[in-house]
Amino acid sequence: MTSIGASSGMVDWNLAVATATRLVRPGPEVSRDEARAVVAELRRHAKSSEEHVRGFTRLATEEAHDTPVLVVDRPGWVRANVAGFREILKPLLEKMEERRGGGAGNAVLGAVGGKVTGVELGMLLSFLSSRVLGQYETFAPATRELPAGAHGGGRLLLVAPNIVHVERELDVDPHDFRLWVCLHEETHRTQFTAVPWLRDHLEGEIQSFLAETDVDPMTVLERVREAAQTLAGGRPEAEEDDGGRSLVELVQTPAQREVLGRLTAVMSLLEGHADFVMDGVGPSVVPSVGEIREKFQQRRAKGASRLDLALRKLLGLDAKLRQYRDGERFVRAVVEECGMDGFNRVWTSPNTLPTKSEISKPADWIARVHRKTES
């Protein structure tokens, strides 16, 4: 296993990887020849998806060819995301280290705390690693194991065992399903490679969110504890007005709520756009797209088990499901009213991104962006 970096500090990143790798569920049973065939087909579909997505979205970019496609297993997905987390959280963790101060006692406490956090993060990633089908990862620095584009792009990850698992669970045509997944993930790669400012904008918003975090470790832990008690039903009835919110929502300050609103809007746009493109391209290249879409939506909605539902609530994954629905409705409404070129004005600058309220009211975005441009 490749070392992610230093293990000291607030999070033991290597322990997070080791824990997740140890706890990760085994993938579906496939022979070596089957596994090779799946990897080869996913690579072919990722390549063919480039042309389909570009033609449909009219977002042309040469840099997509420069961003690698990596077909990975579950531990490979874990390592990529730990590397990304470590990079994006670095400024926050450095502030927390400074706040904690030096001294032998604090050093010992920090080492213990870092290991505890590493184990907890590893447990979380082991849960998520069996559920993600694909991802455009853009924050992890380029390494031999995680190559990136020469122009600073990321890499497209396709998690082969999860794709095989879901296609079997849904009982759909595996070749159609693999192409369908690639269309969604290729749309994300196209978004980031065709819109040069998007990655930096997203990272800036995340850093703004983290900068507002109370850097006192005990305060952060107390907020997490309160959130866990609320989600477990352990707080008094008089305080249950927060019961409908996720852990992410409960630990934020008022300033963070503003940033989170903007992040929610842009993530809704990106996810909804990918769903819209996947369904728009699908009928012409995926014969069984109707059956796949219906079965996949049912799977998204119900979750796998009571534990799955509880963890989805805790992690705010229910909000992610709403992002798919709300974002897709926004994209569809704008394209129907303004055409694809009119919709693509959304990529002009951060100022033309929809606000959180505009995601649910596309007419407001059309009025703001199109009338302002045409006046």
Side-chain angles (χ1 to χ4, degrees):
M1 180 183 68
T2 302
S3 175
I4 297 298
S7 298
S8 60
M10 302 298 294
V11 181
D12 188 330
W13 298 106
N14 287 339
L15 185 57
V17 171
T19 300
T21 303
R22 186 176 69 252
L23 296 178
V24 71
R25 298 178 183 179
E29 291 187 12
V30 295
S31 68
R32 182 168 297 180
D33 288 342
E34 287 175 317
R36 289 198 187 101
V38 170
V39 170
E41 184 172 22
L42 287 173
R43 292 188 183 280
R44 289 196 305 271
H45 285 331
K47 182 64 178 176
S48 65
S49 293
E50 285 185 35
E51 182 178 351
H52 296 314
V53 170
R54 289 186 188 191
F56 185 79
T57 64
R58 302 180 191 172
L59 291 174
T61 170
E62 292 303 316
E63 290 187 15
H65 296 294
D66 190 46
T67 56
V69 176
L70 306 179
V71 182
V72 299
D73 57 10
R74 290 168 179 175
W77 179 87
V78 167
R79 287 192 291 272
N81 277 268
V82 166
F85 286 152
R86 184 170 186 264
E87 186 70 16
I88 203 74
L89 292 175
K90 187 184 298 181
L92 172 65
L93 295 180
E94 288 176 352
K95 284 171 62 178
M96 294 180 73
E97 287 277 11
E98 292 173 5
R99 182 71 172 267
R100 189 178 63 197
N106 282 336
V108 172
L109 180 61
V112 173
K115 292 186 179 302
V116 171
T117 307
V119 169
E120 291 173 343
L121 178 60
M123 293 172 66
L124 168 61
L125 288 170
S126 72
F127 168 77
L128 294 175
S129 68
S130 62
R131 284 155 174 78
V132 176
L133 301 181
Q135 173 186 358
Y136 185 72
E137 204 295 312
T138 184
F139 294 119
T143 63
R144 181 179 176 182
E145 192 173 46
L146 279 175
H151 299 287
R155 70 285 295 168
L156 181 63
L157 305 177
L158 296 169
V159 191
N162 295 350
I163 294 172
V164 172
H165 171 78
V166 174
E167 70 193 25
R168 290 179 179 179
E169 180 185 325
L170 298 182
D171 190 24
V172 293
D173 182 278
H175 309 293
D176 284 2
F177 184 75
R178 293 166 195 173
L179 176 55
W180 189 71
V181 171
C182 287
L183 289 171
H184 182 103
E185 303 308 330
E186 176 58 37
T187 302
H188 286 316
R189 181 164 69 151
T190 297
Q191 290 163 348
F192 280 91
T193 54
V195 185
W197 52 264
L198 183 57
R199 181 199 178 279
D200 288 343
H201 172 72
L202 194 59
E203 182 177 10
E205 292 284 53
I206 293 171
Q207 291 302 335
S208 295
F209 181 87
L210 295 176
E212 292 295 332
T213 299
D214 190 326
V215 296
D216 175 53
M218 294 308 297
T219 301
V220 174
L221 289 173
E222 183 60 30
R223 287 187 180 178
V224 171
R225 190 174 300 114
E226 288 177 5
Q229 289 173 351
T230 297
L231 293 164
R235 294 177 66 184
E237 290 184 9
E239 300 180 42
E240 288 185 349
D241 56 322
D242 287 337
R245 293 193 283 167
S246 72
L247 177 61
V248 171
E249 293 171 304
L250 284 167
V251 298
Q252 62 183 290
T253 66
Q256 283 177 309
R257 290 190 185 98
E258 293 184 18
V259 180
L260 190 61
R262 296 195 298 269
L263 276 170
T264 298
V266 71
M267 295 309 296
S268 297
L269 172 69
L270 298 179
E271 296 294 356
H273 184 234
D275 267 13
F276 178 79
V277 172
M278 183 169 58
D279 288 346
V281 175
S284 63
V285 297
V286 182
S288 59
V289 65
E291 177 191 4
I292 291 173
R293 184 64 158 153
E294 181 180 0
K295 289 183 175 181
F296 193 75
Q297 288 286 57
Q298 292 173 353
R299 182 181 185 273
R300 266 186 184 173
K302 70 180 182 180
S305 66
R306 289 177 63 88
L307 174 61
D308 188 63
L309 290 171
L311 284 169
R312 274 170 42 182
K313 178 63 180 175
L314 175 67
L315 301 173
L317 298 182
D318 284 338
K320 185 173 177 65
L321 297 181
R322 289 195 298 273
Q323 288 174 10
Y324 284 106
R325 295 192 298 267
D326 295 347
E328 196 274 340
R329 281 195 292 265
F330 171 84
V331 176
R332 185 172 301 279
V334 174
V335 172
E336 288 177 356
E337 179 70 21
C338 306
M340 186 61 74
D341 290 335
F343 165 78
N344 281 341
R345 289 189 187 179
V346 77
W347 310 116
T348 304
S349 75
N351 293 329
T352 57
L353 290 172
T355 64
K356 188 177 179 181
S357 64
E358 287 171 343
I359 285 288
S360 58
K361 296 178 180 178
D364 290 354
W365 180 86
I366 294 172
R368 176 173 67 87
V369 173
H370 281 264
R371 289 178 187 172
K372 184 177 180 179
T373 305
E374 293 162 3
S375 59

